[in-house]
Amino acid sequence: MKKLLVLGLGNLLMNDDGAGLHAVYSLRKRYRNSATLCIMDGGTLGLDLLGHIAWADHLLLLDAVDVGLEPGTVVRIAGEAIDGVFAEKLSPHQMGVRDILAAAELIGDRPEQVDLLGIQAGSIAMEMSLSDSVRTSLDRLVEEAAAMIDLFLGTQRSYS
């Protein structure tokens, strides 16, 4: 059986940087972790996440991004293109994302499929609330992640 790790990243103390974590908390209300699905708050742990990433065949990252779009825009980026998103640092944890994916690949543990659902940040400041544009779009991020989880779980059931 294939395994999916849904990993929310960010810092709740820095406005929109916490969007990936808010999404994970919403998803945890819908789904239970199992032998094939793990929904995890990765916070800003960086290389400490390597063992969790090694467990997964499919990694779905949920995070705030800066890809030059309107704040609140939800984007899906797959595979090697993800590394380019984290080339420009939005917040301190994002260098950890590049590092951990590179380390996982170096030791042969990079999941065979890696996707990023990102939400364009509007503000990264020391405040514990999301900007209006990101808060308004957070449900869309959660729904897109849920659709990917449902597709994954449906695929797993068809092979059981």
Side-chain angles (χ1 to χ4, degrees):
M1 289 283 257
K2 301 272 185 180
K3 295 173 273 190
L4 170 63
L5 173 61
V6 180
L7 189 59
L9 300 172
N11 185 337
L12 292 173
L13 300 176
M14 298 187 68
N15 284 94
D16 295 345
D17 191 46
L21 301 178
H22 287 287
V24 159
Y25 302 149
S26 292
L27 290 167
R28 283 181 172 171
K29 293 175 184 175
R30 293 188 195 188
Y31 302 94
R32 290 191 179 276
N33 285 345
S34 68
T36 59
L37 173 66
C38 179
I39 300 174
M40 182 178 176
D41 172 348
T44 60
L45 294 175
L47 289 173
D48 291 335
L49 295 169
L50 193 54
H52 299 283
I53 289 173
W55 171 84
D57 300 295
H58 183 174
L59 173 62
L60 174 57
L61 300 167
L62 305 178
D63 201 2
V65 296
D66 184 5
V67 291
L69 299 172
E70 287 294 315
T73 302
V74 175
V75 296
R76 180 178 176 188
I77 300 164
E80 300 297 325
I82 291 169
D83 296 334
V85 171
F86 295 114
E88 293 296 320
K89 202 161 105 170
L90 178 65
S91 70
H93 78 270
Q94 289 188 331
M95 286 310 283
V97 174
R98 285 185 71 191
D99 293 341
I100 197 167
L101 291 175
E105 188 166 346
L106 184 66
I107 61 175
D109 283 338
R110 184 173 174 136
E112 60 190 58
Q113 183 174 347
V114 180
D115 290 296
L116 165 67
L117 280 178
I119 189 164
Q120 175 67 49
S123 173
I124 302 293
M126 287 296 271
E127 290 183 24
M128 291 183 64
S129 61
L130 297 173
S131 66
D132 291 341
S133 54
V134 169
R135 184 176 38 259
T136 300
S137 298
L138 190 61
D139 285 344
R140 180 165 177 235
L141 177 65
V142 170
E143 291 307 316
E144 289 195 27
M148 291 178 75
I149 292 168
D150 290 343
L151 180 62
F152 175 84
L153 293 175
T155 301
Q156 295 311 295
R157 280 190 213 103
S158 68
Y159 292 113
S160 337

